[in-house]
Amino acid sequence: MRRVSIFGATGSIGQSTIDLIARTPEAYDVVALTGGRNIARLADDAVRLGAELAVTAHDELLDDLRAALVGTGTEAAAGESALIEAAVRPADWVMSAIVGAAGLRPGLKALEQGGTLALANKESLVTAGPLLMEVARAHGATVLPVDSEHSAIFQALVGEDMSAVERIIITASGGAFRDWPLADLERATVKEASRHPNWAMGQRITIDSASMFNKALEIIETHEFFGIAPERIEVLVHPESLVHALVGFRDGALMAHLGVSDMRHAIGYALNWPAREALPVGRLDLAGIGQLNFRHPDEARYPALRLAREVMARGGLSGAVFNAAKEATLDGFIAGRIGFTGMAGVVEAVLERIGSNEGLIDANMTLDNIRAADHVARSLADEEMRERAA
Ligand code: NAD
Ligand code: MG
């Protein structure tokens, strides 16, 4: 029996992970599930899977969670320290699917236990890639990518030597507004930005797909995870979302990964790795699809891509700043404080204001320094949004 834990179990990735695990419950011992405000779902899944521990991120919901779990044999806990407690419970395989920088600490703690971390939480690589990979190395832990593009790259690299890799191409659907005239984007609403043409995902990543902040995070994720130079990473808009990534080798060969837009593929690959097991995902009918399209992204439409390149060039804690500024600005968009096209300007202003602060950006990559950089970035983003609203 494999001991597994799922951080962010109540979210989109968490639920897809549970869907896979629940198909062969005899194969898994579920250690901990964590969630947020959806106590009913967290408790139901914890009981159904026989989890040892269920954790809500919110202290004030502990009584509700306790009430839902009374007499079930699943322990209830709440708050940031309980998330860490969940992370230190020995498990062979841990899904990191909390959204945002909040996923970093539990992920690091899980790596310290030396098991396998299936990493959906790309923000932890953007925020602290070198630290995360170093902790994994130091504890003999394994990090497996779950983002669809990165799982695709990982699969295309099986049996290959990184030194033979010339370039990596990640694809982007273009998100909700890919066919909108540029001038209309200014008035795009939260509701419109929350409808993805090809993937069903959590709201935050869906909006990030429309702005391509998601792709910006993924360029950095590619750089951090695979250790490839920024200039060797390319992005192509591919509206069908069927080719997830391509790896180009020095002999000119391109290895592409294709599959339906279902995250259970990447999750299942990480769950069964290094084996491949049957998965309940659709099969591609290429003749039925007929054609696949690719084009270069329009940088005027997607300034986030340029910002990602600037962050990689700056290095240090600028990834933490970028991610935190992005998160705060996304909160601002969802709350109606800033328009859709205003987001990139806020993030850019924060990067500019902090970029010259060497004490902050070039500080050692420790959790305390990351937290400080994150904090400053969020308050500057807040200030920038306030100024723009005035
Ligand atoms: P989601 O919003 O559907 O779920 C997020 C989960 O994190 C929930 O369980 C929520 O309760 C929990 N959570 C939120 N804030 C928290 C906090 N501060 N502390 C602790 N827990 C918290 O998100 P999602 O779409 O499942 O995405 C999860 C992660 O996977 C993100 O990093 C995202 O970028 C990445 N990802 C998602 C997809 C996808 O298809 N949904 C694809 C690729 C990568
Ligand atoms: Mg992705």
Side-chain angles (χ1 to χ4, degrees):
M1 293 258 273
R2 285 172 79 202
R3 290 172 59 86
V4 301
S5 287
I6 305 172
F7 305 159
T10 54
S12 168
I13 292 286
Q15 290 290 296
S16 291
T17 308
I18 287 175
D19 173 83
L20 291 178
I21 283 173
R23 286 165 195 263
T24 48
E26 65 284 0
Y28 302 102
D29 224 340
V30 177
V31 180
L33 299 184
T34 86
R37 299 197 177 278
N38 194 341
I39 298 299
R41 182 180 281 174
L42 176 61
D44 280 355
D45 285 337
V47 172
R48 182 161 62 97
L49 298 175
E52 288 172 17
L53 172 68
V55 176
T56 164
H58 307 284
D59 288 304
E60 70 277 14
L61 295 178
L62 179 57
D63 287 343
D64 293 354
L65 184 59
R66 275 205 184 117
L69 291 173
V70 72
T72 64
T74 298
E75 289 168 64
E80 218 182 311
S81 58
L83 289 173
I84 299 304
E85 191 194 322
V88 299
R89 294 231 174 160
D92 306 303
W93 189 89
V94 175
M95 167 54 75
S96 167
I98 288 173
V99 64
L104 175 62
R105 270 165 52 83
L108 285 172
K109 272 292 166 209
L111 285 173
E112 286 174 11
Q113 313 311 310
T116 295
L117 188 71
L119 191 69
N121 179 259
K122 65 191 85 187
E123 296 90 342
S124 51
L125 272 178
V126 173
T127 299
L131 174 65
L132 192 105
M133 299 309 264
E134 177 48 36
V135 168
R137 250 190 314 273
H139 293 86
T142 304
V143 186
L144 297 174
V146 172
D147 215 344
S148 58
E149 298 77 4
H150 305 76
S151 174
I153 297 164
F154 192 74
Q155 294 181 50
L157 284 171
V158 170
E160 303 286 354
D161 193 334
M162 259 327 271
S163 65
V165 173
E166 199 170 62
R167 58 181 176 150
I168 290 179
I169 303 171
I170 59 177
T171 61
S173 67
F177 304 138
R178 64 184 178 209
D179 301 322
W180 283 36
L182 200 51
D184 292 355
L185 287 185
E186 220 169 303
R187 286 181 301 278
T189 65
V190 173
K191 202 169 157 206
E192 288 163 337
S194 303
R195 274 196 299 260
H196 197 284
N198 304 338
W199 295 90
M201 309 185 285
Q203 187 192 28
R204 299 182 72 85
I205 183 175
T206 303
I207 300 174
D208 282 349
S209 298
S211 63
M212 283 238 200
F213 266 108
N214 181 51
K215 211 49 56 180
L217 298 180
E218 289 182 357
I219 297 174
I220 302 174
E221 184 184 9
T222 303
H223 169 60
E224 297 294 351
F225 190 90
F226 297 101
I228 184 166
E231 63 274 15
R232 293 177 181 272
I233 305 168
E234 301 170 23
V235 175
L236 286 178
V237 174
H238 167 47
E240 291 85 4
S241 293
L242 299 175
V243 178
H244 303 304
L246 306 96
V247 177
F249 295 92
R250 62 182 166 211
D251 61 356
L254 267 181
M255 299 295 281
H257 177 283
L258 288 81
V260 293
S261 311
D262 184 335
M263 285 306 295
R264 291 178 304 173
H265 178 83
I267 297 166
Y269 186 77
L271 187 60
N272 299 316
W273 179 86
R276 267 190 202 278
E277 301 296 345
L279 290 174
V281 300
R283 270 48 180 170
L284 272 188
D285 167 18
L286 285 176
I289 291 152
Q291 52 172 310
L292 300 172
N293 293 280
F294 300 91
R295 59 174 186 262
H296 289 294
D298 171 0
E299 294 237 342
R301 181 180 280 262
Y302 303 116
L305 299 179
R306 173 176 51 81
L307 297 181
R309 306 251 172 223
E310 289 171 11
V311 165
M312 290 185 290
R314 182 68 180 83
L317 297 184
S318 60
V321 169
F322 180 58
N323 180 68
K326 193 281 296 175
E327 287 189 29
T329 309
L330 177 58
D331 290 338
F333 174 63
I334 293 171
R337 295 180 62 197
I338 183 116
F340 182 77
T341 48
M343 286 191 285
V346 171
V347 175
E348 182 162 22
V350 173
L351 282 172
E352 267 169 20
R353 286 174 67 178
I354 298 189
S356 52
N357 185 341
E358 285 164 21
L360 194 95
I361 299 286
D362 298 323
N364 289 337
M365 195 172 269
T366 62
L367 275 176
D368 283 348
N369 291 340
I370 289 167
R371 200 182 296 226
D374 179 291
H375 186 76
V376 174
R378 282 175 207 262
S379 48
L380 286 180
D382 192 62
E383 212 174 292
E384 289 289 331
M385 286 190 282
R386 230 177 308 128
E387 272 170 24
R388 281 163 171 75

